[in-house]
Amino acid sequence: QAQLEESGGGSVQAGGSLSLSCSGRPSSVYVMGWFRQAPGKEREFVATISWNGDKPIYAESVKGRFTISRDAAKNMVSLQMNNLKPEDTAVYYCAASRQMRVGGPRTYDYWGQGTQVTVFS
């Protein structure tokens, strides 16, 4: 069973930045993504990118602030988060899918354990 591992979470003041990384991508996946889950809420989509470099897709709530990228040489995907807001506070999960077209969490096959991001005002 493939294991994805996130790193880079932490606490930051509103307006600050954090960068998350995800390693352990299985060779059979087409798409990598980031999701987040706040206490008492469902897991929600944040961003996704195909491994061949197609244009990334973002949730409306993070457009213009977050950037997803992949490093093929390092087999890693990253999420650069700028201008963070308190409502971005959540556990962030890296996910990978063997499907070429993805949607919600159920379309992803592999998940990391999550990393906490806390934004305080």
Side-chain angles (χ1 to χ4, degrees):
Q1 177 71 23
Q3 290 188 346
L4 301 176
E5 184 173 355
E6 305 96 341
S7 61
S11 296
V12 65
Q13 193 169 20
S17 299
L18 283 174
S19 181
L20 306 181
S21 295
C22 175
S23 62
R25 169 192 167 266
S27 60
S28 60
V29 303
Y30 288 102
V31 174
M32 299 290 293
W34 288 94
F35 287 76
R36 66 187 182 187
Q37 189 166 15
K41 296 187 176 181
E42 293 187 352
R43 191 167 298 189
E44 66 172 3
F45 165 76
V46 174
T48 188
I49 188 169
S50 64
W51 201 249
N52 65 8
D54 285 348
K55 185 178 179 181
I57 299 173
Y58 298 95
E60 285 296 324
S61 59
V62 306
K63 272 185 182 178
R65 300 187 298 121
F66 290 12
T67 302
I68 188 172
S69 61
R70 94 261 189 278
D71 187 329
K74 295 182 179 179
N75 208 33
M76 293 178 61
V77 65
S78 299
L79 184 69
Q80 176 65 39
M81 305 183 293
N82 298 327
N83 191 22
L84 283 158
K85 304 176 181 181
E87 51 263 43
D88 294 318
T89 295
V91 176
Y92 282 70
Y93 296 91
C94 176
S97 176
R98 297 192 300 264
Q99 301 180 49
M100 297 184 72
R101 293 185 177 184
V102 295
R106 293 185 178 183
T107 58
Y108 286 78
D109 303 290
Y110 307 101
W111 291 87
Q113 294 298 309
T115 184
Q116 177 70 45
V117 170
T118 302
V119 184
F120 54 92
S121 56

